[in-house]
Amino acid sequence: MRIVRTVRDAREATRDSRRPWGFVPTMGALHAGHLQLAARAREENSAVAASIFVNPLQFGPNEDFARYPRAFAEDCAKFEAAGVDLLFAPDVDQMYPDGFATFVDPGPVGDVFEGALRPGHFRGVATVCTKLFDVIGAERVYFGAKDAQQVAVLRRVIADLSLPVELRVVPTVREDDGLALSSRNVYLNAEERAAAPALYAALSFLAEAVRSGRRDRAAMLAESRTRLVAPLREAYLDLVDPLTFRSAADLAKASLAIGSVWAGTTRLIDNVPISAAAERAA
Ligand code: AMP
């Protein structure tokens, strides 16, 4: 695996004859979820690039940018073992030169739920991904279904800016008890960790209720909420259209049960697709 640190080297490294390239952008602190994306990219492409970049633009002023877990040496070994050919690991000044002032704003899909709780987050995600897609020049990019709103935002950006990439979504990798793998799970104390799978349980209940034919949205949400036991505190819980993240008008068709809880100072997110159509869209 070749490791490059500059935009210029990354551009040169992917301009070889092996095509197509698959690309897996990450913030590092790799777990089995990230490696699943790399495995899919490996299966489906002639060459695989990944990136590790903790993007300051997508963190709010009171968020965990400074303490976000970093494990570069271990991450390199994991990506290498997963068959990654090229790792782009830029410093902040490579991505954001002095005087940086140009942003990609994804519009309304980036303003609700995660976007409402983290103002500017999706502008940061959309901006960095647009830059990374351009630098790497891969035909296919791989993202996790766990971050479903991020997928919705990037679908919008790719379509609106006519970016020459195909976005492929990889199902969420979970612990045995249902908790979605996340680099932030290391922040949980024992009590929070023990309660955390309740988020997936609540979302699974909601998805199953809709699948079984129920349409009493408010009652289903209320019943689902009762599963979010202390010390978890709800941030949001809803049924949405996976493309727009607006409230799903037709619950059966293609909706997604989404939720987020606070566990101490850590916020967890997860989602469960109601139908195969929702799974494809997410
Ligand atoms: P991050 O490093 O948190 O920015 O995540 C990088 C990529 O890994 C994103 O596309 C995430 O959606 C994806 N990802 C994170 N957790 C999981 C998981 N548990 N299963 C599948 N993909 C994941």
Side-chain angles (χ1 to χ4, degrees):
M1 183 176 76
R2 183 166 167 214
I3 300 173
V4 292
R5 295 281 190 177
T6 65
V7 166
R8 178 195 290 220
D9 287 347
R11 279 193 197 284
E12 276 171 13
T14 48
R15 296 281 130 89
D16 68 13
S17 58
R18 288 176 299 172
R19 300 239 80 96
W21 277 79
F23 175 42
V24 180
T26 79
M27 299 202 299
L30 300 181
H31 53 63
H34 298 111
L35 299 177
Q36 189 65 33
L37 305 192
R40 270 283 297 280
R42 183 71 275 167
E43 276 165 37
E44 296 174 358
N45 299 279
S46 297
V48 176
S51 62
I52 295 179
F53 180 60
V54 184
N55 174 30
L57 215 58
Q58 70 189 70
F59 288 78
N62 299 316
E63 294 183 356
D64 56 344
F65 175 72
R67 68 174 186 130
Y68 193 83
R70 288 163 171 87
F72 190 68
E74 293 91 330
D75 288 350
C76 287
K78 288 176 183 171
F79 267 149
E80 177 139 46
V84 170
D85 299 296
L86 178 77
L87 175 61
F88 180 40
D91 286 332
V92 171
D93 60 359
Q94 276 295 308
M95 296 303 285
Y96 303 118
D98 251 3
F100 182 86
T102 307
F103 299 88
V104 178
D105 179 344
V109 66
D111 290 337
V112 292
F113 298 105
E114 286 304 299
L117 287 167
R118 308 182 69 184
H121 170 68
F122 286 119
R123 186 174 85 144
V125 169
T127 302
V128 79
C129 286
T130 302
K131 285 174 64 82
L132 288 169
F133 295 169
D134 179 60
V135 168
I136 301 297
E139 281 80 359
R140 299 179 183 136
V141 293
Y142 292 80
F143 285 86
K146 196 202 106 199
D147 298 288
Q149 196 174 358
Q150 172 167 277
V151 168
V153 161
L154 293 174
R155 281 195 197 289
R156 192 70 267 154
V157 169
I158 289 167
D160 290 356
L161 299 183
S162 312
L163 302 182
V165 291
E166 182 194 337
L167 190 155
R168 296 202 170 174
V169 181
V170 177
T172 302
V173 178
R174 302 179 179 282
E175 302 282 4
D176 289 343
D177 60 11
L179 175 65
L181 297 191
S182 164
S183 305
R184 291 193 168 95
N185 290 350
V186 297
Y187 298 152
L188 301 175
N189 68 27
E191 190 199 5
E192 292 157 358
R193 174 64 189 82
L199 175 58
Y200 180 57
L203 294 170
S204 299
F205 165 83
L206 199 51
E208 194 44 50
V210 178
R211 279 187 216 117
S212 75
R214 281 181 62 178
R215 296 294 178 265
D216 50 343
R217 180 192 195 99
M220 287 189 290
L221 286 168
E223 259 182 75
S224 172
R225 266 184 194 114
T226 63
R227 285 158 169 82
L228 302 178
V229 289
L232 304 183
R233 286 174 294 119
E234 178 191 335
Y236 58 79
L237 193 73
D238 215 333
L239 289 158
V240 298
D241 178 318
L243 295 178
T244 61
F245 269 67
R246 283 195 291 244
S247 278
D250 179 352
L251 291 183
K253 206 167 149 207
S255 61
L256 195 63
I258 60 165
S260 172
V261 292
W262 287 99
T265 55
T266 305
R267 197 163 55 78
L268 305 175
I269 64 170
D270 203 349
N271 66 85
V272 173
I274 308 292
S275 64
E279 189 155 22
R280 279 193 298 278

